[in-house]
């Protein structure tokens, strides 16, 4: 990583500057935080379509006759259930059951899995996987070979279909295909981090600037907006998707984060399984809960949470939710206090502000076609 | 862009002196950096502001940012309009979206602040 050094740039850096983006450093990368404004970009994704450069994300490829055995040892979900062309949300854990990272596992072929991991964790993830590779499997750190673009929103299929001969309708949610976009080979996955329909495209870095421009042109009539990490964060928060370093990290176990559904304890051995089994007998002590602020105060990451004057937890992510027009957040609470309807107080800059625990996700799209 | 009869801080607040009262606010550059502003935490009337110390905060969709008082003195009025329309800060930061009026207790402090030209140079340097 570039810790202490110059932040890295994606192949689209120059284009972001041309488009007037405001750049920030995130996870060691110089990334656009916004172009026109977070609210406008957020709403474009909810109502129409938005385009994100997420080339900072990491890619790791695992190949070989025992690729599945390695994938299933280092991840919690059951990769053996995947069919070719299917993707799966999963996690990598330490032996003690805390998160190394969360990730997407794509099955490209019986002997080939493609992992998409978080930018800040990619080198760590790669080392972690290699450490457990006692199989006939080859692990490749492939981030340099891929740029990643996300086309997200209800008009994402209309936008992308103008630039591809690949049959997008045939790609179901959490599936992918190796096709082409604007004449360039692309892995087209129907996945995303916004709570909307849409696609994540993995393509050659050299092609990314041209394709980004062509996508902006193709989506023009639908009102496409280039979107930065600011909107990416508010969108994923409304959809209650975890962000490493916030909802999950090495000290958090899947059940606490509400992610036990990606842990398949009966699939056979995997790293962290023993610790989770032990913890299961003790029960979950803390639990991730969604809340809505009752007033206009804004909860932010790291703020303390109180119940009846007692400090009981902390905010993992918080902020205004542009689509819902409420101030929302996620926090860790003792499991017995995390019921919907409970009134909690958030310490907003030293002053307690009332909030109420609510069901999550805060936002759920209406699914028409799948 | 930056009124020449205002004084500015390095933390992007402004003050306009009217007699013994300083009207304070945040600068165009500050609101632009913050983006969509959703909430303004103002001091209470009667608060003793101290130059360079926090007297409130501005919440945008992106982040929260402290407001540092450009001058010392008693807060005699706050801009109640911002409670209902915080987005005014994005539209008119140097005018209608003033934050508070402070009765100056140490007018000599104004000497420490930047004039419009110096502030503009600071902004150019930062962007």
């Amino acid at each position: 990583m570039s810790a202490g050094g110059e932040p890295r740039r994606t192949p689209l850096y120059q284009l972001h500057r041309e488009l007037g983006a405001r750049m920030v450093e995130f996870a060691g990368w110089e990334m656009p935080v916004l172009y026109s404004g977070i609210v406008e970009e957020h709403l474009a994704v909810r109502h129409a379509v938005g385009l994100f450069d997420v080339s900072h994300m990491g890619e790791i490829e695992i190949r070989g006759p025992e690729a599945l055995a390695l994938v299933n040892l280092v991840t919690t979900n059951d990769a053996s259930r995947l069919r070719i062309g299917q993707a799966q949300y999963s996690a990598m854990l330490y032996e003690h059951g805390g998160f190394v990272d969360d990730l997407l596992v794509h099955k490209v072929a019986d002997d080939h899995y493609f992992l998409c991991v978080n930018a800040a964790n990619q080198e760590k993830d790669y080392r972690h996987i290699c450490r457990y590779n006692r199989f006939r499997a080859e692990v490749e750190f492939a981030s340099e070979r891929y740029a990643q673009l996300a086309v997200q929103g209800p008009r994402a299929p209309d936008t992308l279909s103008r630039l591809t001969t690949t049959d997008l309708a045939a790609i179901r949610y959490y599936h992918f295909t190796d096709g082409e976009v604007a004449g360039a080979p692309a892995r087209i996955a129907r996945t995303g981090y916004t709570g909307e329909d849409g696609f994540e495209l993995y393509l050659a870095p050299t092609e990314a600037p041209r394709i980004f421009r062509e996508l902006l042109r193709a989506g023009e009539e639908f009102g496409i907006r280039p979107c930065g990490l600011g909107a990416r964060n508010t969108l994923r928060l409304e959809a209650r998707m975890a962000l490493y370093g916030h909802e999950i990290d090495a000290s958090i176990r899947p059940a606490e984060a509400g992610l036990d559904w990606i842990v398949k304890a009966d699939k056979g051995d995997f790293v962290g399984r023993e610790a989770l089994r032990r913890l299961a007998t003790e029960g979950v002590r803390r639990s991730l809960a969604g809340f809505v602020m009752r007033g206009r105060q804004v909860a932010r990451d790291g703020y303390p949470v109180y119940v009846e004057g007692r400090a009981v937890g902390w905010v993992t992510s918080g902020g205004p939710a542009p689509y819902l027009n409420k101030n929302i957040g996620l926090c860790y609470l003792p499991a017995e206090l995390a019921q919907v309807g409970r009134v909690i107080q958030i310490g907003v800059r030293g002053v307690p502000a009332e909030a109420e625990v609510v069901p999550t996700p805060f936002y759920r799209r209406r699914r028409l076609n799948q | 862009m930056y009124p020449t009869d205002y004084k500015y801080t390095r933390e992007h607040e402004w003050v306009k002196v009217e007699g013994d009262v300083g009207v304070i606010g945040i600068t165009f550059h500050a609101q632009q950096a913050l983006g969509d502003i959703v909430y303004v935490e103002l001091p209470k009337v009667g608060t003793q502001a101290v130059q360079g110390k926090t007297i409130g905060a501005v919440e945008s969709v992106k982040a929260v940012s402290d407001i540092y008082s450009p001058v010392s003195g008693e807060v005699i009025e706050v801009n109640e309009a911002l409670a209902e329309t915080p987005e005014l800060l994005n539209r008119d930061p140097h005018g209608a979206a003033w934050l508070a009026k402070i009765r100056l207790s140490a007018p000599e402090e104004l000497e420490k602040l930047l004039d419009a030209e110096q502030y503009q140079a600071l902004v150019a340097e930062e962007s």
Side-chain angles (χ1 to χ4, degrees):
Chain A
M1 281 303 294
S2 55
E6 286 292 301
R8 290 194 254 180
R9 292 174 175 176
T10 78
L12 291 140
Y13 175 81
Q14 206 49 49
L15 181 53
H16 297 318
R17 299 304 295 240
E18 282 168 38
L19 291 168
R22 189 171 317 143
M23 308 299 287
V24 292
E25 195 177 328
F26 174 81
W29 292 77
E30 200 169 354
M31 298 298 292
V33 65
L34 61 86
Y35 301 80
S36 52
I38 295 172
V39 174
E40 184 181 321
E41 294 165 24
H42 183 114
L43 296 178
V45 172
R46 288 277 178 259
H47 295 299
V49 53
L51 178 60
F52 303 75
D53 173 19
V54 286
S55 300
H56 59 313
M57 300 292 284
E59 290 84 14
I60 296 170
E61 308 224 33
I62 301 181
R63 296 184 184 83
E66 294 184 316
L68 173 61
L70 176 58
V71 171
N72 243 358
L73 179 66
V74 295
T75 64
T76 59
N77 211 330
D78 188 358
S80 75
R81 293 192 198 174
L82 287 172
R83 291 182 299 276
I84 292 169
Q86 196 176 7
Q88 176 182 74
Y89 181 56
S90 193
M92 286 194 280
L93 304 181
Y94 293 102
E95 300 284 356
H96 62 67
F99 284 90
V100 178
D101 204 358
D102 63 345
L103 74 160
L104 287 173
V105 176
H106 304 72
K107 180 172 179 173
V108 182
D110 285 334
D111 58 356
H112 182 189
Y113 290 81
F114 173 84
L115 317 184
C116 176
V117 302
N118 280 302
N121 294 337
Q122 49 192 309
E123 282 86 359
K124 177 184 77 175
D125 294 348
Y126 173 71
R127 287 193 304 269
H128 180 84
I129 296 167
C130 289
R131 209 183 126 206
Y132 289 97
N133 186 12
R134 52 171 192 256
F135 302 97
R136 286 180 296 152
E138 177 207 330
V139 185
E140 184 202 357
F141 184 79
S143 299
E144 318 299 333
R145 292 200 290 109
Y146 292 99
Q148 189 186 341
L149 308 182
V151 192
Q152 299 281 302
R155 305 310 292 271
D158 296 325
T159 300
L160 186 56
S161 66
R162 301 188 151 204
L163 285 184
T164 182
T165 53
T166 305
D167 180 10
L168 299 178
I171 310 174
R172 286 176 296 137
Y173 193 53
Y174 269 76
H175 286 70
F176 69 97
T177 193
D178 287 341
E180 61 85 25
V181 176
R187 179 158 291 158
I188 305 173
R190 199 155 202 159
T191 51
Y193 195 50
T194 60
E196 294 302 328
D197 189 11
F199 300 91
E200 293 180 305
L201 312 174
Y202 302 87
L203 32 89
T206 48
E207 297 283 1
R210 177 178 69 86
I211 291 174
F212 196 92
R213 280 181 210 276
E214 292 203 26
L215 283 165
L216 285 180
R217 257 198 302 277
E220 207 170 351
E221 71 170 280
F222 309 119
I224 197 169
R225 289 281 178 279
C227 299
L229 294 185
R232 184 168 159 85
N233 189 49
T234 51
L235 287 158
R236 71 94 194 165
L237 179 57
E238 280 185 347
R240 195 209 203 250
M241 291 169 148
L243 175 60
Y244 193 90
H246 293 253
E247 286 69 39
I248 57 176
D249 63 30
S251 73
I252 299 290
R253 274 62 179 237
E256 298 172 321
L259 292 175
D260 32 0
W261 62 274
I262 59 170
V263 178
K264 300 294 164 17
D266 55 355
K267 72 167 181 170
D269 191 30
F270 63 90
V271 181
R273 185 191 189 195
E274 279 314 306
L276 296 190
R277 183 177 290 167
R278 279 197 309 275
L279 288 162
T281 60
E282 297 167 20
V284 180
R285 280 205 296 268
R286 61 187 170 199
S287 182
L288 190 67
F291 64 84
V292 172
M293 302 299 291
R294 286 186 162 173
R296 295 189 73 137
Q297 295 91 339
V298 182
R300 301 282 181 186
D301 318 2
Y303 284 5
V305 180
Y306 303 92
V307 169
E308 288 157 12
R310 201 161 52 91
V312 292
W314 73 96
V315 176
T316 56
S317 296
Y323 181 81
L324 303 169
N325 212 6
K326 292 173 185 167
N327 295 330
I328 63 171
L330 293 167
C331 68
Y332 274 107
L333 289 175
E336 69 275 14
L337 297 177
Q339 314 93 341
V340 168
R342 176 173 297 279
V343 177
I344 58 177
Q345 284 80 38
I346 312 292
V348 178
R349 305 159 51 74
V351 181
E354 275 200 349
E356 184 179 328
V357 175
V358 298
T360 54
F362 304 96
Y363 167 83
R364 197 193 300 268
R365 77 184 153 101
R366 283 177 296 161
R367 292 186 191 199
L368 301 174
N369 304 317
Q370 35 224 323
Chain B
M1 170 71 68
Y2 295 100
T4 52
D5 55 335
Y6 289 20
K7 294 279 205 175
Y8 301 87
T9 70
R10 296 188 159 274
E11 289 77 36
H12 310 290
E13 293 87 12
W14 55 260
V15 55
K16 175 174 68 163
V17 177
E18 293 172 343
D20 64 347
V21 171
V23 183
I24 69 163
I26 64 167
T27 66
F28 178 84
H29 176 73
Q31 67 76 28
Q32 197 177 38
L34 285 162
D36 308 291
I37 291 169
V38 296
Y39 181 67
V40 187
E41 189 183 295
L42 293 168
K44 290 197 171 56
V45 170
T47 302
Q48 290 295 327
V50 177
Q51 189 181 43
K53 300 284 186 218
T54 310
I55 51 159
V58 180
E59 297 271 8
S60 72
V61 173
K62 194 169 65 177
V64 60
S65 183
D66 281 319
I67 306 165
Y68 300 101
S69 185
V71 292
S72 301
E74 185 188 345
V75 175
I76 55 170
E77 193 181 338
V78 296
N79 189 351
E80 303 288 354
L82 294 176
E84 282 312 304
T85 51
E87 63 275 14
L88 202 57
L89 262 172
N90 289 120
R91 291 205 302 267
D92 193 8
H94 297 155
W98 59 278
L99 299 175
K101 295 183 181 179
I102 295 173
R103 193 177 310 284
L104 305 176
S105 62
E108 68 280 3
E109 289 174 340
L110 293 166
E111 299 301 319
K112 296 188 222 162
L113 302 176
L114 307 176
D115 65 23
E117 201 179 317
Q118 291 166 321
Y119 181 69
Q120 209 129 16
L122 175 79
V123 169
E125 210 173 287
E126 283 189 5
S127 35

